[in-house]
Amino acid sequence: MSLNGWLQLVLFIAAVLLLAQPIGTYLTRVFERRKTFLDPILVPCERLLYRLTCVNPTQEMRWTAYASAMLVFSAATMILTYVVERLQHWLPLNPQHLANVEAALALNTAVSFTTNTNWQSYVPETTMSYLTEMLGLATHNFWSAAVGMALAVAFIRGIARRETNTLGNFWVDLTRATLWVLLPFSVVLSLALISQGVVQNLRPYDTVKLMEPQKVTGTDGKTSTVATQTIAQGPVASQEAIKMLGTNGGGFFNTNSAHPFENPTPLSNLLEMLAIFLIPAGLAISLGQMVGSPKHGWAVLAAMTVLWFAGTLTCYWAESQPNQLFHNAHLSIDQHVSPLQSGGNMEGKETRFGIANSALFATVTTDASCGAVNSMHDSFMPLGGMVPMANILLGEIVFGGVGAGLYGMLVFVVMAVFIAGLMVGRTPEYLGKKIEAFDVQMSMLYLLIFPFIILGFSAVAVLMPNLGLSSLANHGPHGLSEILYAYTSATGNNGSAFAGLNANTPWYNLSLSVAMFFGRFMMIIPMLAIAGNLAQKKIVPASAGTFPVTTPLFTALLVGVIVIVGALTFFPALSLGPILEHLLLRAGMSF
């Protein structure tokens, strides 16, 4: 760990916190339908869309209708993506003449992008045509993020409103999230990334001659000479921008944001990390503004920041340590930081980013539901790799995905307030509304669905060797970590992976599809039920026994509840995976 590394961490979080207020204020104006500087351009577009789709923007929806509209929209767009994948060979914008995507993989990808997971069991540049990337995948990067924002705003309305049974209009929230937030932000970020060297074109792939031809040995034992290389390219910058802003994460290239065409410079790396946290941080501020308690929004943002710092510090420390295997072997390998080398564990990392930015990126992308990577998590030290996994296991509420992180955090807020009420022996209240049995039951249902899917599928994969274990690159505790991370990432709608697992098999394509689908939509239903129930309640005046939700004590309680729930649920699995691997590594064993 170096001073330079610490300065980069401080610069990043300072930029996030400085931008949170203006972004949050803008989001508040957008979703409360107040005037913004983009209205002269976008209001006519909005009205035209409503006329074309026969949407009545003044008609409010109950939580059940809101959920139904969201499910219908998601199902329709998922089918569209599946069809485009299955027909891409005969569709235009396919200069590489790529074949149609195989059925199980097409289903997995369609579910993945619909649920904001963007899990990729394929090599993008050799599987997806330009049309599929733009029409099938990049559009979902907008839609799935807009759905998450709409759901978060609906939850906030449930808290802010009183004695009503409606949460707004899903179609209006979806439209405004797309037109006022995601599109303009993406245009600005795309241009910034292009200025840094991110590729943006529709050209066929280039074939170039190697300066030094290479001899390679195939699986059949025969040796051949490779004299050319294919340079993949395409409309990368436009997809990269919404991939980050929408916390999507699906890369245009297989190596994702470690590829120089996606992330060429330290500045582009900083911009991409900021884009991941930009909207989630702003939504926390919007929460406070829309419920009439700005300090509450900052208290929630403070809890997110504390959890982010704990994870980043642990990951940076773990990756900065010398590899114990080299030490035990008494090899003369200097692994300490110096002006000539970064020190620590550089396996799987880009030299242009180093350990500090690799650890920071890994933490940021898994604190949110992004899943983009600029280093390979499978190559991290055991405790360093445990941090991204633990971030997702907490529910990805540390800033979290666009919208999804905030409504996940608000479920924990309900639980924290309930526990605080139990401590003082009175009915818990949250911003003047009593938290009753139904709210707690729905919160517990939300929290229990997540581990049920992750641990259930992981157990099946481990106990059925022909299905789950045959795809592993490593065995022992690291192999368990690869399986556990896959189902954690899928259920948490993250999309990053311990890439030693080959997930492009019938079992993993189908089981991960189920995990992604239910990890997204089964958790939305109880969340909206809580919002709908809160909207119907009266406001109770604060009293001497009311637990304030704007203080450092509330932030500490919220952090404690999140950590305790996560530890009690997943600590046994982590003990058999990365924690055991760490202990065995210190004893000289690797996997």
Side-chain angles (χ1 to χ4, degrees):
M1 301 175 76
S2 65
L3 176 61
N4 178 272
W6 278 107
L7 289 174
Q8 293 181 65
L9 304 187
V10 171
L11 172 65
F12 169 76
I13 197 61
V16 170
L17 296 178
L18 285 173
L19 291 170
Q21 180 70 44
I23 295 297
T25 300
Y26 177 73
L27 294 176
T28 301
R29 300 186 69 87
V30 168
F31 290 107
E32 289 187 342
R33 306 187 75 174
R34 289 190 263 156
K35 188 175 181 180
T36 73
F37 68 96
L38 291 175
D39 285 5
I41 300 172
L42 297 180
V43 167
C45 298
E46 182 185 28
R47 290 172 180 165
L48 177 61
L49 283 174
Y50 294 153
R51 290 196 188 105
L52 293 175
T53 55
C54 300
V55 169
N56 180 1
T58 63
Q59 183 179 356
E60 295 264 321
M61 295 178 174
R62 298 169 62 95
W63 78 264
T64 49
Y66 203 99
S68 298
M70 178 272 301
L71 291 172
V72 168
F73 175 77
S74 298
T77 53
M78 181 175 70
I79 293 170
L80 170 64
T81 298
Y82 179 81
V83 171
V84 170
E85 291 180 82
R86 296 289 288 147
L87 299 178
Q88 73 171 14
H89 182 67
W90 300 298
L91 295 174
L93 291 177
N94 184 10
Q96 283 66 249
H97 306 291
L98 298 174
N100 296 330
V101 182
E102 183 268 328
L105 180 59
L107 175 64
N108 179 280
T109 306
V111 173
S112 173
F113 279 76
T114 302
T115 58
N116 200 246
T117 309
N118 301 71
W119 174 274
Q120 294 174 294
S121 296
Y122 57 90
V123 177
E125 55 263 49
T126 61
T127 308
M128 301 297 178
S129 70
Y130 290 163
L131 183 70
T132 303
E133 288 280 2
M134 293 187 292
L135 178 61
L137 306 185
T139 52
H140 264 303
N141 288 349
F142 285 94
W143 292 332
S144 62
V147 167
M149 294 175 68
L151 292 168
V153 170
F155 201 136
I156 296 172
R157 291 197 190 108
I159 300 168
R161 293 182 175 184
R162 64 185 73 180
E163 299 181 71
T164 182
N165 57 7
T166 61
L167 298 175
N169 186 305
F170 170 75
W171 305 111
V172 172
D173 293 337
L174 179 75
T175 301
R176 295 187 74 82
T178 304
L179 292 183
W180 267 264
V181 182
L182 297 175
L183 273 173
F185 285 20
S186 295
V187 169
V188 173
L189 182 58
S190 295
L191 294 175
L193 292 176
I194 290 171
S195 76
Q196 293 300 298
V198 178
V199 173
Q200 181 73 14
N201 61 47
L202 295 174
R203 293 175 50 186
Y205 294 172
D206 288 327
T207 300
V208 298
K209 291 184 178 180
L210 296 178
M211 295 181 65
E212 296 183 7
Q214 303 292 315
K215 291 185 177 181
V216 297
T217 302
T219 56
D220 57 359
K222 295 182 179 180
T223 301
S224 59
T225 300
V226 177
T228 62
Q229 180 181 353
T230 300
I231 306 296
Q233 55 202 302
V236 181
S238 56
Q239 183 154 325
E240 190 74 13
I242 187 57
K243 149 187 161 180
M244 297 303 186
L245 285 165
T247 61
N248 297 282
F252 197 95
F253 301 104
N254 191 41
T255 51
N256 209 281
S257 289
H259 197 291
F261 283 1
E262 285 197 32
N263 190 8
T265 68
L267 179 57
S268 69
N269 191 65
L270 175 61
L271 291 174
E272 290 180 13
M273 289 190 294
L274 284 174
I276 295 172
F277 272 7
L278 196 64
I279 298 174
L283 280 171
I285 302 303
S286 293
L287 164 68
Q289 294 177 349
M290 293 176 73
V291 302
S293 179
K295 289 184 179 179
H296 176 57
W298 281 105
V300 172
L301 184 59
M304 295 176 174
T305 305
V306 168
L307 291 167
W308 166 84
F309 178 77
T312 303
L313 177 63
T314 304
C315 190
Y316 184 26
W317 169 82
E319 295 307 300
S320 298
Q321 302 304 303
N323 189 310
Q324 195 68 29
L325 290 179
F326 295 146
H327 176 74
N328 290 343
H330 300 292
L331 300 175
S332 57
I333 299 177
D334 182 7
Q335 300 179 71
H336 295 90
V337 178
S338 73
L340 299 179
Q341 65 176 24
S342 63
N345 175 39
M346 279 297 294
E347 166 67 19
K349 297 180 178 65
E350 282 292 309
T351 54
R352 66 183 187 275
F353 301 136
I355 288 176
N357 267 298
S358 298
L360 176 60
F361 202 111
T363 308
V364 167
T365 197
T366 50
D367 279 334
S369 66
C370 187
V373 296
N374 74 351
S375 57
M376 298 301 105
H377 297 178
D378 201 33
S379 295
F380 277 31
M381 302 295 283
L383 295 185
M386 184 181 73
V387 170
M389 192 189 308
N391 286 340
I392 309 173
L393 289 172
L394 291 177
E396 286 189 312
I397 42 76
V398 187
F399 290 91
V402 170
L406 181 62
Y407 66 66
M409 176 63 87
L410 289 174
V411 172
F412 276 104
V413 168
V414 170
M415 292 304 302
V417 171
F418 172 70
I419 291 171
L422 293 180
M423 290 178 178
V424 298
R426 58 170 286 159
T427 302
E429 300 167 12
Y430 175 42
L431 293 173
K433 295 188 175 182
K434 291 186 179 294
I435 301 300
E436 298 168 316
F438 180 81
D439 307 304
V440 177
Q441 290 166 357
M442 290 298 101
S443 297
M444 288 308 303
L445 179 60
Y446 180 98
L447 296 176
L448 289 173
I449 290 170
F450 194 60
F452 177 78
I453 298 173
I454 294 172
L455 298 178
F457 273 121
S458 296
V460 171
V462 169
L463 294 174
M464 301 185 71
N466 292 334
L467 293 179
L469 301 184
S470 59
S471 294
L472 292 177
N474 304 88
H475 296 283
H478 193 80
L480 174 61
S481 295
E482 290 176 345
I483 294 173
L484 183 63
Y485 196 107
Y487 288 109
T488 299
S489 179
T491 309
N493 302 139
N494 183 269
S496 62
F498 271 20
L501 175 73
N502 172 27
N504 193 12
T505 66
W507 160 253
Y508 279 113
N509 276 330
L510 293 176
S511 63
L512 289 170
S513 296
V514 174
M516 288 184 284
F517 186 86
F518 287 111
R520 172 79 162 186
F521 298 114
M522 278 188 69
M523 296 175 72
I524 285 173
I525 303 305
M527 179 276 296
L528 282 176
I530 298 170
N533 192 50
L534 289 174
Q536 300 178 53
K537 297 184 178 185
K538 298 179 180 179
I539 298 293
V540 179
S543 65
T546 300
F547 181 67
V549 292
T550 59
T551 64
L553 178 61
F554 165 75
T555 298
L557 177 64
L558 180 57
V559 170
V561 169
I562 293 168
V563 172
I564 290 171
V565 169
L568 290 177
T569 306
F570 294 109
F571 184 75
L574 294 174
S575 297
L576 295 173
I579 295 176
L580 177 60
E581 184 185 1
H582 170 73
L583 296 175
L584 293 175
L585 182 67
R586 292 182 62 85
M589 296 180 63
S590 64
F591 300 92

